[in-house]
Amino acid sequence: MELRDALRTTPATRTFTDAPVDDATIAGILDDARFAPSGGNRQAWRVVVLKDPTIRRAVRDLYLAGWYEYLGQVQAGMTPFGVYNDQEQETIARSQSEQIAKDAAAGPGGFAEHLDEVPALLLVLADISALATVDRDLDRYSFAGGASLYPFVWNILLAARDRGLGGVITTMNVRNEPALLELLGAPERTGIVALVALGEPSQKITKLKRSQIHEFTTIDSFDGPTLSL
Ligand SMILES: Cc1cc2nc3c(=O)[nH]c(=O)nc-3n(C[C@H](O)[C@H](O)[C@H](O)COP(=O)(O)O)c2cc1C
């Protein structure tokens, strides 16, 4: 498909048909995704393809723990796990997670509750020691390290799209990173980048909701004239 179409229309896909995604397809996707850029071309990513049903269920359960905390904060109108959140307010919001979990268990469940059944699950890890974190010494939250990892993760989704597959980047497992890393026998200085779910989409793609460029682009200064089409 046309690159511009792919850029403008690749959604987060969370519902899939039962069609399996075979190893050759996953290998092909990763073979395209590996051309992603990274700081100093360090390519600090590692991928673990999760197939074992026991491991998949454990990953789902760890995901759910973070997911229900996330929903508690959304319900409270907060930025979930926001860097500048009021800690007291966040603790109260997160304490709703038990009730949210109970309500979810009583229903059919959604993507999160059925995460273990997704056709393909790729866990992307990082060798933290190989990351150029240029913002490491600033007195603010660091994100430059992730910038060397998420282009690769996004390339996975684009490469999947090119094969008629859809998927979603998820990070909820980061909430319980130590438990998951232990489960997988990961060495020290490894971090979880994302769990990517992939499969054949079961729903039609709808128009993506995104801000217009004039809403986030100015010229010469932060409050300078806006750039628009
Ligand atoms: C870094 C990152 C983390 C995300 N984490 C999750 C997640 O844990 N669970 C989930 O269901 N979606 C997750 N998403 C998907 C976003 O919710 C999705 O990209 C966004 O809502 C836009 O969706 P759309 O492209 O369908 O409009 C994540 C996306 C990114 C880029």
Side-chain angles (χ1 to χ4, degrees):
M1 74 184 295
E2 283 289 320
L3 175 60
R4 200 188 291 177
D5 283 342
L7 292 175
R8 297 177 71 101
T9 66
T10 301
T13 298
R14 299 186 184 85
T15 56
F16 307 101
T17 69
D18 291 336
V21 180
D22 60 26
D23 283 358
T25 303
I26 294 174
I29 288 169
L30 294 175
D31 195 39
D32 290 340
R34 72 193 169 92
F35 291 97
S38 58
N41 201 18
R42 301 302 295 267
Q43 304 166 64
W45 49 77
R46 271 287 256 114
V47 179
V48 181
V49 181
L50 304 179
K51 294 188 179 195
D52 183 310
T54 310
I55 293 178
R56 278 173 161 247
R57 281 193 293 273
V59 169
R60 175 203 59 195
D61 291 344
L62 291 168
Y63 183 99
L64 284 175
W67 176 237
Y68 295 138
E69 282 190 324
Y70 174 96
L71 290 181
Q73 292 167 81
V74 172
Q75 281 180 11
M78 307 177 73
T79 298
F81 306 112
V83 173
Y84 302 115
N85 280 356
D86 179 273
Q87 282 312 301
E88 216 170 299
Q89 194 193 357
E90 189 180 305
T91 306
I92 295 167
R94 282 165 54 187
S95 70
Q96 302 302 311
S97 62
E98 232 172 87
Q99 188 55 47
I100 295 170
K102 272 188 201 146
D103 294 345
F111 168 75
E113 288 77 16
H114 296 280
L115 186 64
D116 55 312
E117 299 159 30
V118 161
L121 280 178
L122 312 186
L123 186 69
V124 182
L125 304 171
D127 173 0
I128 297 168
S129 64
L131 287 179
T133 46
V134 289
D135 57 355
R136 184 193 61 188
D137 303 322
L138 295 178
D139 186 20
R140 67 149 169 79
Y141 171 76
S142 166
F143 45 77
S148 282
L149 298 161
Y150 291 101
F152 170 71
V153 179
W154 180 238
N155 264 9
I156 292 176
L157 282 203
L158 291 179
R161 180 88 197 281
D162 194 47
R163 289 162 174 80
L165 300 177
V168 59
I169 299 168
T170 77
T171 47
M172 224 47 74
N173 280 105
V174 177
R175 291 296 301 166
N176 292 293
E177 181 175 277
L180 185 47
L181 292 179
E182 196 185 332
L183 183 76
L184 300 173
E188 270 185 23
R189 299 186 176 175
T190 300
I192 296 173
V193 180
L195 177 71
V196 182
L198 294 177
E200 184 182 84
S202 63
Q203 287 172 352
K204 264 189 81 176
I205 290 174
T206 53
K207 198 165 179 265
L208 301 184
K209 292 192 191 99
R210 300 291 189 265
S211 306
Q212 298 295 324
I213 61 163
H214 68 265
E215 296 175 74
F216 58 84
T217 313
T218 54
I219 297 168
D220 282 337
S221 69
F222 199 84
D223 57 358
T226 56
L227 182 76
S228 47
L229 281 174

